[in-house]
Amino acid sequence: MKEQTPPPSPLKDKKNLRYFLILILNTVLFFGVYKVLLYYAELTDETFYSFCVMLLYMALLVGFVLGYLIYNRFLYRKNVTVEQLPDTMTLQEKEEFLADGNRRLEKSKWMMLIIFPLVITFLVDTFDLFVLDLFR
């Protein structure tokens, strides 16, 4: 027989909704600040300033992605089951190993609230530069 997964708890739904709303807010905020800074650079005719803005956003993105990956040990514990771990480990060691991976993912979830808006900002800016510029 196939095991049924329990329905998600209302508390987890509220937490996910909160993360989603913060994610939307951060995306709008990061993109808005980015565009305002680039607009200011255009007004002052400072190409170096716009380059610095892009460089700052890139440095933030690379820093947070590397931080996320290093903290989560490059996600090698994700989707690993107890059966896949070596027999030299005891059952308690295996459970601690997997629990540590899940705990790290949960504790670093906030970094995604910064990584995702930065990625969206660069995707929209790239689309604007390379696709929409063709039609202007």
Side-chain angles (χ1 to χ4, degrees):
M1 280 189 238
K2 192 174 186 181
E3 290 184 29
Q4 292 182 344
T5 58
S9 68
L11 182 62
K12 188 164 179 123
D13 284 345
K14 284 184 180 181
K15 190 174 181 181
N16 286 338
L17 179 64
R18 187 182 73 131
Y19 271 112
F20 180 72
L21 292 175
I22 292 171
L23 187 67
I24 297 297
L25 177 70
N26 279 357
T27 303
V28 169
L29 184 69
F30 277 53
F31 185 74
V33 168
Y34 181 76
K35 281 299 187 182
V36 165
L37 290 174
L38 289 181
Y39 180 73
Y40 175 74
E42 276 184 33
L43 284 180
T44 58
D45 202 26
E46 289 283 334
T47 55
F48 180 72
Y49 183 70
S50 61
F51 175 73
C52 288
V53 170
M54 287 184 82
L55 197 61
L56 173 69
Y57 267 64
M58 282 184 208
L60 283 172
L61 180 60
V62 168
F64 273 98
V65 167
L66 282 176
Y68 183 81
L69 289 174
I70 290 169
Y71 181 75
N72 285 301
R73 299 182 179 175
F74 293 91
L75 303 172
Y76 77 90
R77 295 180 183 198
K78 189 174 169 84
N79 297 327
V80 175
T81 62
V82 175
E83 295 81 26
Q84 294 172 329
L85 295 173
D87 294 333
T88 57
M89 296 173 77
T90 66
L91 183 59
Q92 183 181 0
E93 288 174 334
K94 290 178 182 182
E95 289 173 354
E96 287 174 5
F97 181 85
L98 295 176
D100 181 54
N102 290 334
R103 187 174 55 252
R104 284 175 180 272
L105 280 173
E106 195 61 35
K107 285 175 88 175
S108 64
K109 202 179 211 181
W110 67 270
M111 288 187 201
M112 289 308 240
L113 296 175
I114 296 172
I115 293 170
F116 186 77
L118 288 170
V119 168
I120 293 298
T121 298
F122 279 116
L123 285 176
V124 171
D125 194 41
T126 303
F127 183 77
D128 182 36
L129 285 172
F130 294 110
V131 176
L132 294 181
D133 254 5
L134 295 174
F135 298 109
R136 290 185 193 148

